[in-house]
Amino acid sequence: MLTKIKFFQKDTTKKDIVLGILLVLGLIWLNTFIHQNSFSDTYGDFDFLKNFAITVFCTGFFFFLKELVFDFEIFGDDTRTCVAGTAVTGILMILALLLEMGTDSFSIYTQKEIVLGTFIIHKKYVYGIWTIVWFPLHIDKIFARMRQERFRFQSILYGCISIIGLTLEGILLFRPMANIWLIDLVVFNSATLILAVWKYAINDTRLRKGEIVAAILSYVIFSVYLLPLQCNNWGKEFSTFMYGENWNEIKAVIREVVSHASLWGTSGYLRNSASVHSWLLNWNKPILQLLYYGGWVSVIAVLLAMVCLLCVLVKMLGIKNGRIHKNWLLYATATVMFFNDVVSGTLYAFGFPCPVGLPFLRETGFTDWMAFALIVFCALENLQIQKNKCPDSAFVLAETLLGKQDSYQIFDEFDEPYREEIWHDEVTIIGAGCEVSCDAYWCELEGREFCVFKPQDFRIREKRFILEFVEDRWVLPDDPKNKIKQEICQYYAKVNVLRCMDEEKEDRDEEFDDEDSEFF
């Protein structure tokens, strides 16, 4: 299991986020250098950086908007609604097909662009949104509903129908794209499904692991068997199928550059070769261009930076939190995309016919920038989850913030002495020469009444402290062995689930026993 590997057990840190951003900025600078020196078009010093900033901003807008939109269960609150949503989407796609057959100003299926009247957008910009956002979000909701319904046969059947429907929608949408896009679509969809099984199903005692593996293999085989219906040049040589008819000519150029590159700097042969100059001009092959400008040392440095970036992305992903992290499937699929592109892009650079560019070194890096921004947001959420999983560190002694007194005065929002047992209140606590505004959370343990206070002051808002309500007085709790504090911490973390954490509705509905109900 992934979580048993020591590397994957490490917590996400702020250093990981900073290092990841620095590596990406370095690759963006390198991409700017290559385009300024190897392309006839004019590229400004900050063109790629500006596009990166705009993409990150738009991704961030989506990231915060999803809390208002996607949390409203628009994908269905059960598997039957998911199937209904798939049916509605299928009807809309049939209507779109009829509309496309009847007019030239509308096209979704037959061209590499989506045409809606005067609005035209290339599908390569939609591809990343579909593979690492739309498809994972739907798969996550489907599996969550199946788990909520205890993986009954009916819910599994409805879930499978929805998954197959989503898969066919992607195939129809991207059918005109080059073969490598369709192959990657199979890879990303299969990876998303495997990650969903790991998150929701693999540890469920109601399911047999053999059946789970068989289901995954069936989906992969189903997707692969559909490839002949989508891809061009099926049955021809592998290089022709993957790249096209002129692969041998491309391969000859790659061999020439690789065999004559120097250890450091530009070799004399490459500097004086007119054919190499004509090939590298306006040709986005960053590894070959690095061999020309900087030699093997620069290429090795970039590949090591890519490996380092992948390791940092895995730490930012927070696999140990994967099963409780909301929308983790989206972030994990984005990480899979980076792994796939680094491996395929490296092989392509040295003569293997899989035309995939290295991340952040492409002419258009929209998908890379969006995926990286999502993983950064994932890391920020992981920092919150790690704090929530270790609440003891947030709880401090009340006297450290209020000063030590025999008792404390607490007033509600109406300036009345606070004694109402409401789950969440805003109060003001009068301490030794200070006033602290807090949110109050009541709890009861062993017949004693306590309140957990969360300060509103941004300087201390990460801290929590406990006071006991005894005979109409607020006092420091009598807890010499910290037993009460530990129990309150555990229940406080259990009930105060973060927005970025999954709530297992089945467990909460059936296993939230009377003891928990009485405690809060």
Side-chain angles (χ1 to χ4, degrees):
M1 297 299 294
L2 290 176
T3 52
K4 293 182 180 179
I5 301 175
K6 188 174 181 180
F7 177 75
F8 297 139
Q9 294 177 346
K10 296 181 178 179
D11 287 336
T12 303
T13 65
K14 294 180 181 179
K15 292 181 180 179
D16 298 326
I17 301 175
V18 173
L19 179 57
I21 293 175
L22 291 177
L23 287 170
V24 168
L25 291 177
L27 292 172
I28 291 175
W29 172 85
L30 178 62
N31 199 29
T32 303
F33 170 82
I34 291 173
H35 279 76
Q36 286 181 335
N37 290 275
S38 299
F39 287 75
S40 56
D41 294 337
T42 302
Y43 287 87
D45 293 340
F46 302 102
D47 284 354
F48 286 100
L49 189 60
K50 290 177 182 177
N51 293 336
F52 171 69
I54 294 172
T55 304
V56 170
F57 174 79
C58 294
T59 306
F61 178 75
F62 158 78
F63 179 80
F64 291 106
L65 187 64
K66 75 179 178 64
E67 299 293 336
L68 303 176
V69 179
F70 295 129
D71 283 354
F72 287 163
E73 310 295 351
I74 63 171
F75 302 118
D77 54 3
D78 55 36
T79 52
R80 287 177 298 180
T81 314
C82 292
V83 171
T86 303
V88 171
T89 306
I91 293 173
L92 293 176
M93 295 191 76
I94 292 175
L95 292 176
L97 177 61
L98 294 175
L99 186 60
E100 185 168 353
M101 293 170 62
T103 178
D104 295 332
S105 60
F106 183 89
S107 176
I108 290 181
Y109 303 108
T110 58
Q111 301 182 35
K112 293 183 179 181
E113 298 85 16
I114 295 176
V115 180
L116 303 174
T118 57
F119 176 77
I120 301 176
I121 181 172
H122 199 286
K123 288 183 179 178
K124 65 182 179 181
Y125 299 109
V126 182
Y127 185 84
I129 297 175
W130 177 278
T131 53
I132 66 176
V133 177
W134 187 254
F135 189 82
L137 278 177
H138 278 80
I139 295 297
D140 187 81
K141 295 297 181 183
I142 292 169
F143 270 84
R145 299 299 167 261
M146 286 195 292
R147 183 179 66 178
Q148 180 183 338
E149 297 171 9
R150 300 185 177 186
F151 289 103
R152 292 191 297 267
F153 174 78
Q154 187 179 31
S155 66
I156 293 175
L157 178 62
Y158 288 156
C160 290
I161 293 173
S162 301
I163 292 170
I164 292 173
L166 277 170
T167 303
L168 294 177
E169 290 169 13
I171 290 173
L172 289 173
L173 183 61
F174 299 107
R175 165 65 182 81
M177 303 289 282
N179 291 347
I180 189 63
W181 295 81
L182 302 176
I183 294 173
D184 281 350
L185 185 64
V186 173
V187 173
F188 296 148
N189 288 354
S190 300
T192 301
L193 195 67
I194 292 171
L195 291 166
V197 167
W198 174 83
K199 179 178 180 180
Y200 289 105
I202 198 67
N203 286 340
D204 197 293
T205 56
R206 294 178 288 254
L207 299 174
R208 298 178 181 177
K209 289 182 172 57
E211 295 173 346
I212 295 173
V213 173
I216 294 174
L217 289 176
S218 299
Y219 178 83
V220 174
I221 293 171
F222 168 76
S223 300
V224 171
Y225 265 89
L226 288 178
L227 282 176
L229 303 177
Q230 311 167 55
C231 298
N232 301 315
N233 299 320
W234 188 267
K236 296 185 178 181
E237 291 184 3
F238 180 74
S239 59
T240 304
F241 170 74
M242 293 292 290
Y243 188 87
E245 298 291 346
N246 62 335
W247 172 248
N248 290 330
E249 186 178 358
I250 301 295
K251 192 173 182 180
V253 176
I254 294 175
R255 286 179 176 175
E256 183 177 359
V257 175
V258 169
S259 59
H260 293 92
S262 62
L263 181 63
W264 174 254
T266 306
S267 70
Y269 177 86
L270 296 180
R271 184 184 296 112
N272 298 320
S273 174
S275 61
V276 170
H277 286 187
S278 63
W279 271 107
L280 294 183
L281 182 65
N282 296 323
W283 195 32
N284 191 46
K285 293 293 178 287
I287 294 297
L288 298 184
Q289 285 150 342
L290 279 176
L291 285 173
Y292 177 87
Y293 289 114
W296 281 102
V297 172
S298 60
V299 170
I300 293 172
V302 169
L303 294 180
L304 289 176
M306 288 288 180
V307 173
C308 182
L309 177 61
L310 293 179
C311 294
V312 171
L313 292 178
V314 170
K315 280 201 67 182
M316 291 169 64
L317 181 62
I319 294 178
K320 63 182 296 185
N321 300 323
R323 289 195 173 100
I324 61 174
H325 194 164
K326 198 172 190 177
N327 295 327
W328 181 83
L329 210 57
L330 183 154
Y331 310 131
T333 304
T335 307
V336 169
M337 185 208 73
F338 282 119
F339 271 86
N340 175 79
D341 290 358
V342 168
V343 173
S344 300
T346 303
L347 293 175
Y348 178 47
F350 292 106
F352 188 79
C354 55
V356 176
L358 286 169
F360 305 106
L361 296 178
R362 313 181 224 240
E363 285 190 73
T364 304
F366 167 75
T367 302
D368 300 332
W369 302 332
M370 178 185 67
F372 178 72
L374 288 173
I375 296 174
V376 170
F377 296 140
C378 171
L380 295 174
E381 289 181 343
N382 275 322
L383 295 178
Q384 298 178 44
I385 293 173
Q386 288 161 192
K387 287 183 179 180
N388 189 76
K389 290 170 67 176
C390 302
D392 287 350
S393 59
F395 277 78
V396 298
L397 296 175
E399 55 262 38
T400 60
L401 300 178
L402 305 175
K404 192 167 185 178
Q405 294 183 172
D406 293 335
S407 63
Y408 300 90
Q409 289 182 304
I410 303 181
F411 298 96
D412 59 19
E413 55 187 354
F414 304 106
D415 291 331
E416 297 290 336
Y418 181 62
R419 56 174 58 90
E420 294 293 331
E421 297 184 20
I422 301 176
W423 163 242
H424 175 264
D425 283 318
E426 294 184 1
V427 300
T428 301
I429 306 176
I430 309 299
C434 66
E435 293 186 5
V436 181
S437 298
C438 298
D439 296 324
Y441 301 85
W442 283 81
C443 53
E444 184 176 346
L445 185 63
E446 299 178 359
R448 300 165 62 183
E449 293 180 330
F450 300 91
C451 224
V452 177
F453 294 97
K454 175 185 175 183
Q456 296 178 350
D457 191 330
F458 73 94
R459 293 170 295 182
I460 54 174
R461 63 185 176 187
E462 299 297 330
K463 299 183 182 299
R464 309 286 184 271
F465 60 91
I466 304 169
L467 290 177
E468 184 176 2
F469 191 60
V470 181
E471 298 178 353
D472 289 336
R473 297 170 64 243
W474 290 98
V475 298
L476 298 173
D478 184 15
D479 185 26
K481 296 183 179 180
N482 281 336
K483 180 181 177 181
I484 293 176
K485 175 188 173 183
Q486 292 175 2
E487 292 190 32
I488 291 177
C489 288
Q490 293 173 3
Y491 284 109
Y492 180 81
K494 181 178 179 180
V495 175
N496 285 271
V497 179
L498 299 172
R499 294 177 64 90
C500 59
M501 294 175 66
D502 269 328
E503 295 188 28
E504 298 183 13
K505 293 184 179 180
E506 176 193 336
D507 295 339
R508 286 180 177 274
D509 291 342
E510 301 186 11
E511 297 181 10
F512 200 76
D513 54 22
D514 294 337
E515 181 182 349
D516 295 338
S517 301
E518 292 175 359
F519 186 80
F520 288 97

